[in-house]
Amino acid sequence: MSDILLETRDLVKHYPVRKGVMQRTIGYVRAIDGVSFTIERGKTLSLVGESGAGKTTTASAILLLEQLTSGSIFFEDRDIYKLSNAELKNEYRPKVQSVQQNPWSSMNPRMRVRDIIAEPLVINAKLNKEDIRNRVLALMEQVGLMPEWADRYPHEFSGGQRQRIAVARSLALNPDLIVLDEPVSALDVSIRAQIMNLLKDIQDEYNLSYLVIAHDLATVRFMSHSVAIMYLGQIVEYADSEELFKNPMHPYTRALISASSISGPDEKDESIVLSGEMPSPINPPSGCRFHTRCIAAFDKCSVEVPEPRVFGTHYATCHLCDYEEGWITKSESKSV
Ligand code: SF4
């Protein structure tokens, strides 16, 4: 069996911008533009970037909540857009689950916890009531919730406990992949480590894969095996997590790491502040899309789209990345 569980190839999602009574299309929001990556079995890939980078659109496409403009998604070597409705329902959707940032928004406050966790089993699994009851109690124990709390309502739990309920529900159908959308960012800092440790323990036990959507680099560093940095709908850098934090290549990655106070590769205490707003995805900047905010930008950057420079499993799309010379060359002299 291949180690690759899911692969995206050149995902593109453009939303038409319409205007006037006739609703004429006057442009396109380029939410994602050529996003390709793989997720291995039992491993975690994080998509990182500011709001508007395309992380959520990418995750929504994998969860079949968005119809792509073009591109392919392969799950266990099968193109999911070529699966029948029955195959999607029985073989793909149960295997790909999600946990949202704010469990409140995905829980009916009038449902008891046992029914919230049981929902996917009632809809998808052919189990009798007794089996569902036993499965729910086992899932509660698995995520550190007392089975005797099964008849309580969501408001009777803390934020961390509600996230445990959401994790239990996402595990109900024995998925292979869980999309974790900012899984701990709504929680108190003191609770975050508990939930992250829980997720890692569950991953180890079931050989689960995670796709983490996050902007908090401390979470990303703790959770991930590999990381894709996204900017304005594209992946600008991709590497194993350890390698990325040790040796970030792209000026945008370096700025993000610096802004998050995680020490950079050279351990210098130089703060890089991201200047300016993210440009509009309707009219992305020419050449390198980051050039309007990049402190290392030079003439070529606004004219030529940088090709990905690949070194092993690490790649970055920047004119300054030159592996023959030891990756970033000119930028080092500019203290990027
Ligand atoms: Fe900055 Fe130019 Fe590299 Fe883009 S290509 S990240 S603008 S140096």
Side-chain angles (χ1 to χ4, degrees):
M1 201 189 287
S2 160
D3 272 353
I4 305 293
L5 177 69
L6 181 133
E7 179 178 2
T8 71
R9 291 189 194 159
D10 215 7
L11 304 188
V12 173
K13 177 67 187 180
H14 292 173
Y15 300 95
V17 180
R18 303 186 200 279
K19 199 176 175 193
V21 187
M22 305 300 287
Q23 289 289 285
R24 261 189 331 112
T25 301
I26 55 162
Y28 289 90
V29 174
R30 296 163 183 265
I32 51 175
D33 238 347
V35 171
S36 304
F37 56 76
T38 55
I39 304 176
E40 291 181 35
R41 282 179 198 281
K43 303 282 191 218
T44 300
L45 167 71
S46 289
L47 300 181
V48 180
E50 295 164 283
S51 172
K55 313 181 298 283
T56 301
T57 305
T58 304
S60 298
I62 290 168
L63 291 167
L64 298 177
L65 303 173
E66 286 280 4
Q67 185 103 35
L68 289 168
T69 306
S70 63
S72 317
I73 299 174
F74 288 81
F75 185 77
E76 294 180 320
D77 296 327
R78 297 162 83 196
D79 183 341
I80 65 167
Y81 294 118
K82 294 191 176 145
L83 298 180
S84 66
N85 285 341
E87 286 170 327
L88 283 175
K89 179 173 181 283
N90 299 320
E91 294 169 36
Y92 182 72
R93 288 185 192 275
K95 293 288 175 194
V96 181
Q97 297 290 308
S98 68
V99 172
Q100 301 302 315
Q101 174 179 5
N102 182 358
W104 257 128
S105 59
S106 59
M107 282 177 198
N108 183 337
R110 288 188 289 275
M111 280 173 79
R112 295 179 193 277
V113 163
R114 72 163 67 250
D115 297 323
I116 290 172
I117 297 173
E119 233 177 349
L121 296 167
V122 172
I123 295 168
N124 291 285
K126 296 175 182 71
L127 298 177
N128 62 37
K129 278 189 179 167
E130 185 62 16
D131 287 342
I132 290 178
R133 186 178 165 280
N134 290 337
R135 176 88 177 120
V136 166
L137 298 182
L139 285 164
M140 289 184 70
E141 275 195 87
Q142 169 95 59
V143 301
L145 294 168
M146 307 278 278
E148 48 267 40
W149 296 343
D151 286 323
R152 293 186 182 178
Y153 292 92
H155 73 266
E156 296 178 79
F157 293 87
S158 67
Q161 288 170 331
R162 279 196 291 272
Q163 200 58 313
R164 288 175 192 267
I165 296 168
V167 172
R169 182 171 57 182
S170 76
L171 292 172
L173 296 174
N174 292 320
D176 288 320
L177 171 67
I178 302 181
V179 175
L180 301 166
D181 187 355
E182 303 280 6
V184 297
S185 61
L187 303 176
D188 286 350
V189 175
S190 57
I191 307 294
R192 288 182 184 182
Q194 290 175 20
I195 299 296
M196 287 193 285
N197 280 321
L198 171 70
L199 290 167
K200 287 185 89 164
D201 289 348
I202 290 169
Q203 177 171 51
D204 290 343
E205 188 166 346
Y206 296 109
N207 201 31
L208 266 173
S209 303
Y210 292 144
L211 175 65
V212 173
I213 308 296
H215 66 271
D216 167 31
L217 291 185
T219 303
V220 169
R221 194 170 198 176
F222 186 77
M223 294 285 299
S224 314
H225 297 92
S226 52
V227 180
I229 305 289
M230 294 189 72
Y231 186 78
L232 215 51
Q234 299 179 324
I235 293 176
V236 296
E237 183 159 10
Y238 178 95
D240 289 348
S241 179
E242 207 183 319
E243 158 72 8
L244 185 111
F245 285 102
K246 204 168 77 188
N247 187 26
M249 306 310 311
H250 197 282
Y252 181 58
T253 311
R254 290 183 167 214
L256 284 181
I257 289 175
S258 173
S260 77
S261 81
I262 287 179
S263 51
D266 52 9
E267 304 288 335
K268 281 182 207 159
D269 187 23
E270 286 176 21
S271 220
I272 298 171
V273 179
L274 279 174
S275 62
E277 295 288 315
M278 177 97 80
S280 164
I282 297 176
N283 241 329
S286 59
C288 171
R289 292 187 177 186
F290 187 52
H291 84 258
T292 54
R293 301 169 74 194
C294 180
I295 62 168
F298 58 108
D299 301 350
K300 190 175 171 185
C301 300
S302 59
V303 185
E304 248 181 66
V305 176
E307 291 291 322
R309 305 294 175 104
V310 183
F311 185 71
T313 55
H314 189 163
Y315 79 76
T317 52
C318 170
H319 292 307
L320 296 175
C321 296
D322 183 352
Y323 64 83
E324 282 174 11
E325 304 245 353
W327 288 102
I328 286 195
T329 49
K330 289 183 195 173
S331 58
E332 276 175 349
S333 64
K334 295 187 182 187
S335 301
V336 176

